[in-house]
DNA sequence: GGGATTTAGGTTGTGCACAACACGTCTGTA
DNA sequence: TACAGACGTGTTGTGCACAACCTAAATCCC
């Protein structure tokens, strides 16, 4: 087969398209306010508009894009007030992750935490906004995996991706090196908490950093 | 025009279809496990499958239905464990509604609260499961309107609709009259809290009732 | 010259025909 | 009878053509 022996299920393709597009939006490949073309994207992914529109529909329901008949598909922006309230909620949800169905800490989890510290140190050596965003995203998913409450995971993810691009857009306004250093500190603190099998502490650390991050963004 | 002078926007139609279908699912008009036909529904709403599928896509992303190629569209069921975790999260979110951006209590809000008490008393006079579900749904939306945090509203709504049909399905197992009495008591307590402009108390009351409701459902 | 109108181009929304797929039934064979 | 395979029926998924719509530039009229 032309796709390397892997026939792709419709659901799998939807997930793939959606994840790729979401990533591009949150990494600012598609800046807020810019327009996406269904036709162009469909051509890029080698499908017709129909399956692509299914992926766009999900992105629209998630609030990442907005379509207008006859005009186009526009990447949404978020005003400061809305972002503030979303951050508030994210902060509280982060705290809940430590109390609601935390997973049992395995050696593998601890190893992952230390990997993040290593990646953070490397990033601190040569700061790069895009790489920073990627590491942040990966670390978020790691944090989400520390609770078995699927509803909480899903909700946190939804809200994270809603604010991620705003965060990255603001990095230039702040000091990249400083932000990386703060983030590295969060990684180290988290790794220490996990080392002690204390997921509640890990959640509180995250909660504190979300709060401080929001303060820096709005301040 | 044939629709009474109101031409319907594509977005408005999507919202209408989605809300109607969601209502039917949560009111058990479409029981968990039953199959929906795109063709039949499209005919009922006087459209082609295309716009209908857009509404179904949203329902699927919300976890209310599940489609399988070549098989059909099936209304999902929820196992007890998942419901328990979703209720946990709903409980915590209800508490947050009292702390995160509560609205200012106006006379209109207080009046609405008293209307709910009146409706609850009427229901207690002649208990009916379906009417109970409707009142519960309306009261939920009222509760959601007490915070200005849109992310919190959206999230709570999402989770509410995810568990609503499980709740209604369990009513026969419990005592309908007893459940109505408990709910009426929640309405009265909430009205009193709102009377005193104390939305934090209203939120705590709701939180307590969600907790107790979950205990009755699983117990 | 200024403003209203027409027109051209590009975008998303809709309808329809067909492909891909799952499942139950029927049929032929041992 | 038991079993394997073909077949019919019904479902969702996909591709395509066209409708509905918005925008901006060109054109016409005063």
């Amino acid at each position: 087969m032309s796709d390397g022996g892997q026939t792709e299920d419709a659901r799998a393709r939807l997930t793939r398209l959606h994840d790729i597009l979401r990533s591009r939006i949150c990494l600012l490949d598609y800046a807020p306010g810019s327009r996406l073309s269904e036709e162009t994207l469909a051509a890029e992914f080698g499908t017709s508009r129909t399956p692509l529109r299914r992926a766009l529909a999900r992105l629209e329901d998630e609030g990442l894009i907005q379509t207008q008949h006859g005009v186009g598909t526009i990447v949404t922006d978020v005003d400061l007030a809305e972002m503030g309230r979303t951050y508030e909620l994210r902060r509280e949800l982060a705290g809940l992750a430590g109390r609601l169905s935390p997973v049992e800490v395995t050696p593998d989890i601890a190893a992952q935490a230390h990997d993040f510290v290593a990646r953070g140190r490397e990033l601190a050596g040569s700061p790069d906004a895009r790489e920073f965003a990627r590491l942040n995203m990966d670390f978020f998913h790691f944090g989400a995996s520390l609770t078995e409450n699927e509803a909480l995971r899903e909700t946190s993810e939804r809200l994270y991706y809603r604010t991620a691009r705003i965060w990255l857009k603001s990095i230039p306004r702040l000091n990249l090196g400083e932000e990386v250093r703060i983030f590295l500190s969060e990684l180290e603190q988290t790794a220490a908490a996990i080392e002690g099998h204390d997921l509640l502490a890990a959640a509180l650390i995250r909660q504190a950093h979300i709060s401080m991050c929001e303060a820096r963004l709005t301040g």
Side-chain angles (χ1 to χ4, degrees), chain A:
Chain A
M1 301 178 188
S2 63
D3 59 356
Q6 282 286 339
T7 51
E8 191 175 30
D9 189 283
R11 190 181 314 275
R13 172 158 73 163
L14 164 61
T15 304
R16 188 171 62 88
L17 291 190
H18 169 262
D19 286 1
I20 290 175
L21 292 175
R22 186 178 62 176
S23 221
R24 290 184 183 175
I25 290 173
C26 293
L27 258 36
L28 298 186
D29 293 332
Y30 305 140
S34 66
R35 274 179 22 185
L36 309 182
S37 161
E38 297 184 350
E39 197 98 31
T40 305
L41 287 174
E44 178 191 340
F45 292 113
T47 75
S48 76
R49 280 175 58 212
T50 309
L52 182 94
R53 278 172 64 79
R54 176 66 180 85
L56 290 181
R58 181 177 287 182
L59 291 172
E60 183 169 18
D61 289 342
E62 290 171 341
L64 265 50
I65 62 175
Q66 207 164 0
T67 63
Q68 275 179 280
H69 190 185
V71 179
T73 303
I74 287 113
V75 178
T76 57
D77 206 344
V78 181
D79 60 286
L80 223 62
E82 185 194 337
M83 193 200 64
R85 287 190 286 260
T86 306
Y87 256 87
E88 270 189 331
L89 184 52
R90 279 191 56 202
R91 185 190 61 210
E92 298 298 331
L93 290 177
L96 289 178
R99 290 171 25 217
L100 266 41
S101 317
V103 301
E104 195 180 353
V105 177
T106 63
D108 176 57
I109 290 179
Q112 284 184 57
H114 280 99
D115 276 351
F116 277 110
V117 172
R119 286 178 65 186
R121 291 207 173 118
E122 191 170 358
L123 180 67
S126 58
D128 171 76
R130 195 186 174 85
E131 200 51 46
F132 187 11
R134 244 185 232 290
L135 181 57
N136 191 293
M137 204 175 283
D138 289 347
F139 184 64
F140 167 79
H141 280 118
F142 171 68
S145 75
L146 297 181
T147 177
E148 280 173 352
N149 191 317
E150 198 168 337
L152 177 56
R153 272 210 305 269
E154 182 191 312
T155 301
S156 300
E157 185 174 326
R158 198 180 173 83
L159 296 174
Y160 171 79
Y161 280 105
R162 210 176 160 107
T163 55
R165 71 220 132 101
I166 312 305
W167 170 78
L168 182 54
K169 205 176 77 168
S170 302
I171 291 288
R173 276 199 301 106
L174 311 171
N175 184 319
L176 176 60
E178 176 77 6
E179 292 295 320
V180 170
R181 255 212 345 269
I182 295 173
F183 184 55
L184 174 57
S185 152
E186 178 182 356
L187 292 176
E188 289 170 340
Q189 292 173 52
T190 303
I194 288 177
E195 187 78 24
H197 290 216
D198 189 350
L199 288 190
L200 179 57
L204 290 170
I205 290 164
R206 181 147 192 76
Q207 197 170 13
H209 274 90
I210 289 176
S211 181
M212 292 189 291
C213 180
E214 197 245 338
R216 290 198 305 276
L217 286 177
T218 57

